[in-house]
Amino acid sequence: ALLAQAIREMEALANFPDWNPSHFLDTAEAAAALGLGYDWLYDQLPLSTRELVHKAIVNNALKLVVGSSSSSRHTWLTAEMNWNQVCLGGLTTAALAVAEDEPEMAREMVALALRHNPSGLIPYAPEGVYPEGPGYWNYGTTYQVLLLSCLESALGSDFGLSAAPGFMASAGVQAQLHGPTGLAFNFSDGGEKSSFEPAYFWFAQKLRQPALLSLNTNHLKAYVAAGSKETPDNRFSALAALWWPDQLTLPPPSLPLRWQGNGANPVAVFRDSWTDPKALYLATKGGSASLNHAHMDAGSFVLEADGVRWARDLGAQEYNSLESKGIALFSRGQDAERWTVFRLNNRSHGTLTINDELHHEKGRATLSRFSADPKDSFAILDLSPVFETQAKSVTRGFRLLPARSVLIQDELGGLAADDNVRWAMVSGAEIQVNGAEATLTQDGQTLRARLIAPADAVFEVISADPPENEYDAPNPDRRILTINAKAPASGVVGIAVVLRPGAAPLDPASLPKLESTTRWGH
């Protein structure tokens, strides 16, 4: 029955007049699907199906890229993004599947992949932080691994592609970017909910690090416990069986508890434990809104403790809900229509906003200092380029304090008198505010927040639903804890907040004595 269904599906796809080459990702994914089916089921396929599928792979995919000068039209060949990986991975998979009958076409397709795929691997440098975020790491890296695996199985080598700087390290980075709850630090266009991802199995096998599978095996256990008789909700699930490592004992990841990752979107991550599901977890980022799939989220953060995600990111809005209404979702520039979408601009993120203005799109925030010292762990972001023309200097520091407390300290200079600086933390918790104190409750747990500076500022809670634009998606069960601070004549503003999990009120005597972030670590 399953074979008959597979044949029907393959024939249906092969009978399409084309695979939407105007959006070449569709063509590449269709090619990959038929290439795998053709290769795996070849001996079981009727001759008529073989001929139909073979013809479709050649005419609907390969001929559009190889031969004459057709490949010069495809900008994805040199793109430093997931299109390069998906298109080259899908097409090469299909080309190798028909290589016995189309040797010249397969040879040219492999040559194109070896020549151009290094461009798609550039974003992993230098340390494996994929700038498009965890969600797009899953997408692009799955096709990258498919390409490497096909080259190895068919030709005996990946020709050094996997040695690209940061690529093999990127699986460990993804472990760092998931908290104890299993939720991702979902910066850029992505969701926080993780899923079963077969690519991890390839990395675990190659690196001999089965601990990288902890998140995925938890998904499998939950799936089995739910009694489902179907495969996990990932179209590549079957590939996990091919990449399954020899060893499946799962020690905790041999990864640091305090970690920074450099790159176009630098990140800093702190956690108490790799084994305690209630551990404290804090992650923050720099970066630029000009990057592919980026949001205006420099300085944003997520926070977990006691099994609850307290500070979170709303994530991306479903693309079709915007593009179907004429929104130029992938437009670029400071005045791009993309930045009118609430979830994508800085007003919806846990960061700073000055005078309700947008972040500077081309500005890039950097991770200027980082300490992994267990006795004094901190990260300092230089956000100044993100606020170009709005302030002369903006720094944001995150520091771990005793009793699992976190200090978030912002220092701004060069503001105009009466400029408004808004501090924000997005949460799914219920929030009660009382002046400089806030109490967050969720899932039977409590988080306390205390505003230390400015002395005259107070907490406020606002809805996370978009204030305007009918095309914006609602954000039910989300709210934003805010602080508004007015700049004095000096143009200097300092905001300091302490967050601590637990129901006990914060003892004023336990609050830190503030010093400039320039003095941290000294």
Side-chain angles (χ1 to χ4, degrees):
L2 291 177
L3 175 62
Q5 181 178 346
I7 292 172
R8 287 194 299 272
E9 298 283 355
M10 292 174 67
E11 290 180 346
L13 181 55
N15 276 314
F16 278 30
D18 62 59
W19 294 335
N20 194 27
S22 63
H23 188 256
F24 213 83
L25 289 178
D26 300 344
T27 299
E29 294 210 45
L34 282 192
L36 290 172
Y38 185 83
D39 183 64
W40 290 0
L41 303 176
Y42 186 86
D43 292 335
Q44 286 76 41
L45 295 177
L47 178 59
S48 60
T49 304
R50 290 183 199 168
E51 292 175 345
L52 177 66
V53 171
H54 175 276
K55 181 179 178 181
I57 288 174
V58 170
N59 292 334
N60 286 3
L62 298 181
K63 278 188 176 180
L64 304 182
V65 178
V66 301
S68 67
S69 60
S70 58
S71 63
S72 63
R73 301 194 307 267
H74 299 295
T75 57
W76 49 259
L77 282 168
T78 55
E80 298 176 11
M81 55 181 286
N82 66 76
W83 275 66
N84 175 286
Q85 300 168 292
V86 174
C87 292
L88 289 175
L91 292 167
T92 304
T93 298
L96 290 172
V98 299
E100 291 178 338
D101 298 313
E102 306 289 347
E104 291 302 318
M105 189 168 279
R107 185 177 292 111
E108 186 174 347
M109 188 64 241
V110 169
L112 282 172
L114 297 183
R115 185 183 313 138
H116 294 295
N117 184 231
S119 293
L121 290 162
I122 287 173
Y124 294 89
E127 296 171 354
V129 181
Y130 196 65
E132 296 179 34
Y136 272 94
W137 180 90
N138 292 335
Y139 182 48
T141 304
T142 295
Y143 274 94
Q144 183 66 51
V145 166
L146 182 63
L147 170 62
L148 300 177
S149 186
C150 286
L151 290 173
E152 285 186 319
S153 63
L155 304 177
S157 172
D158 71 8
F159 302 93
L161 292 175
S162 62
F167 176 70
M168 294 304 294
S170 69
V173 172
Q174 293 308 301
Q176 289 282 8
L177 295 179
H178 285 79
T181 63
L183 298 176
F185 178 21
N186 54 314
F187 59 85
S188 300
D189 277 346
E192 64 182 11
K193 186 177 180 181
S194 61
S195 60
F196 181 78
E197 297 294 341
Y200 282 95
F201 288 79
W202 184 88
F203 282 98
Q205 183 188 76
K206 291 292 182 181
L207 296 170
R208 300 184 183 277
Q209 293 180 12
L212 292 174
L213 297 176
S214 297
L215 188 63
N216 282 276
T217 52
N218 287 340
H219 284 301
L220 285 177
K221 290 175 182 176
Y223 197 82
V224 171
S228 179
K229 296 180 180 179
E230 298 179 4
T231 56
D233 187 20
N234 184 307
R235 61 190 185 278
F236 292 104
S237 295
L239 294 175
L242 299 182
W243 300 330
W244 205 276
D246 296 332
Q247 178 191 4
L248 260 183
T249 55
L250 298 179
S254 55
L255 297 169
L257 298 174
R258 314 281 190 262
W259 177 81
Q260 65 170 329
N262 292 304
N265 252 333
V267 295
V269 178
F270 307 88
R271 70 176 77 222
D272 285 347
S273 168
W274 280 101
T275 57
D276 183 0
K278 296 185 177 182
L280 181 79
Y281 175 81
L282 170 69
T284 185
K285 69 177 293 293
S288 171
S290 64
L291 296 168
N292 197 44
H293 288 291
H295 292 193
M296 289 182 168
D297 59 2
S300 65
F301 66 102
V302 295
L303 176 69
E304 293 183 8
D306 298 329
V308 174
R309 174 155 289 192
W310 296 104
R312 61 205 317 160
D313 191 296
L314 295 176
Q317 183 171 335
E318 197 275 322
Y319 294 164
N320 187 60
S321 70
L322 294 164
E323 292 182 307
S324 63
K325 295 175 182 175
I327 303 303
L329 183 57
F330 297 106
S331 53
R332 298 294 181 97
Q334 187 66 33
D335 298 322
E337 196 169 25
R338 176 177 179 82
W339 307 125
T340 69
V341 179
F342 182 67
R343 288 195 190 179
L344 309 188
N345 64 48
N346 47 286
R347 301 180 184 103
S348 70
H349 288 92
T351 186
L352 300 173
T353 298
I354 299 176
N355 294 332
D356 200 39
E357 295 181 22
L358 294 174
H359 283 182
H360 181 54
E361 191 231 19
K362 295 190 182 304
R364 179 176 178 268
T366 56
L367 186 59
S368 59
R369 291 179 61 209
F370 175 84
S371 170
D373 185 344
K375 296 181 180 179
D376 189 17
S377 300
F378 61 82
I380 300 173
L381 296 164
D382 180 6
L383 302 179
S384 303
V386 173
F387 294 98
E388 184 178 298
T389 74
Q390 300 174 37
K392 289 184 179 179
S393 64
V394 181
T395 60
R396 162 161 276 200
F398 295 84
R399 194 175 199 175
L400 299 191
L401 305 175
R404 299 203 303 163
S405 298
V406 175
L407 170 65
I408 305 173
Q409 185 169 325
D410 299 306
E411 297 171 334
L412 302 91
L415 295 163
D418 294 326
D419 276 353
N420 185 75
V421 180
R422 193 195 79 159
W423 182 101
M425 171 179 155
V426 182
S427 184
E430 296 293 333
I431 307 176
Q432 298 294 323
V433 298
N434 181 16
E437 297 182 348
T439 302
L440 291 74
T441 55
Q442 185 176 336
D443 298 334
Q445 303 296 329
T446 302
L447 179 82
R448 298 280 187 172
R450 178 62 184 259
L451 173 56
I452 304 177
D456 59 347
V458 296
F459 281 120
E460 300 176 68
V461 180
I462 62 174
S463 170
D465 278 332
E468 54 187 27
N469 299 330
E470 54 85 23
Y471 51 76
D472 278 317
N475 302 303
D477 302 320
R478 298 289 184 267
R479 47 206 61 85
I480 305 177
L481 180 66
T482 66
I483 302 161
N484 288 282
K486 290 288 185 182
S490 67
V492 175
V493 167
I495 302 175
V497 175
V498 170
L499 304 172
R500 194 201 67 192
L506 278 167
D507 181 358
S510 70
L511 297 176
K513 183 178 180 180
L514 296 181
E515 60 178 357
S516 172
T517 55
T518 60
R519 298 295 306 156
W520 288 9
H522 295 292

